Amino acid sequence: IRAICQFYNDKSVFITGATGFVGKCLGAKLLQFCPNIGKIYILVRPRPDSQAGILSKYSDMVNSTVFENIRKNSPTLLEEVCCLPGEMSLPCCGFDATTLELIKDVEVVIHCASAIRFNMAV
């Protein structure tokens, strides 16, 4: 684990699918075991009510059971998580120029996003 922690020291990470099961577990473990990690940017698909939906998804994520130890022992680590509204099916995740500038320092991308409709055409 020490080598993994050293790898993530001061590195910014971009995670797709962070509000899903695998993404939540990954994000929580990164924060828990790599406290010196840089920013963690997470792609969040906006709901029709836009910004309120993104904050709701973030709240659901960090209030889940897998973040319990972080909330209790190191709640300030949650400040390292930055939600970015976007959509995986769009070029550049649908990010505007400001968001692309914000994530230019990302050194690690972890792709956990998945399709939530099981009847999609191939």
Side-chain angles (χ1 to χ4, degrees):
I1 282 194
R2 181 175 292 153
I4 293 170
C5 291
Q6 288 174 345
F7 174 80
Y8 282 104
N9 274 350
D10 297 320
K11 288 190 178 161
S12 292
V13 178
F14 177 64
I15 303 174
T16 66
T19 59
F21 177 75
V22 172
K24 281 181 195 173
C25 293
L26 174 70
K29 293 303 177 191
L30 283 174
L31 286 172
Q32 185 175 359
F33 293 109
C34 305
N36 295 322
I37 195 167
K39 276 284 190 200
I40 297 179
Y41 299 99
I42 62 171
L43 178 69
V44 179
R45 185 181 5 209
R47 291 181 179 154
D49 55 352
S50 193
Q51 192 64 27
I54 291 168
L55 295 176
S56 173
K57 284 186 175 185
Y58 170 78
S59 179
D60 290 347
M61 182 184 79
V62 298
N63 287 316
S64 66
T65 312
V66 295
F67 281 86
E68 187 173 349
N69 285 336
I70 295 165
R71 287 191 315 270
K72 286 182 182 176
N73 303 321
S74 307
T76 58
L77 288 176
L78 295 173
E79 296 170 9
E80 297 304 317
V81 179
C82 178
C83 297
L84 304 175
E87 171 62 51
M88 278 300 304
S89 63
L90 297 175
C92 295
C93 298
F95 293 154
D96 59 18
T98 304
T99 302
L100 290 172
E101 181 67 22
L102 180 68
I103 62 170
K104 72 178 185 180
D105 66 331
V106 167
E107 297 176 77
V108 179
V109 176
I110 303 173
H111 179 48
C112 298
S114 63
I116 58 171
R117 290 179 294 161
F118 297 106
N119 61 350
M120 295 177 66
V122 179

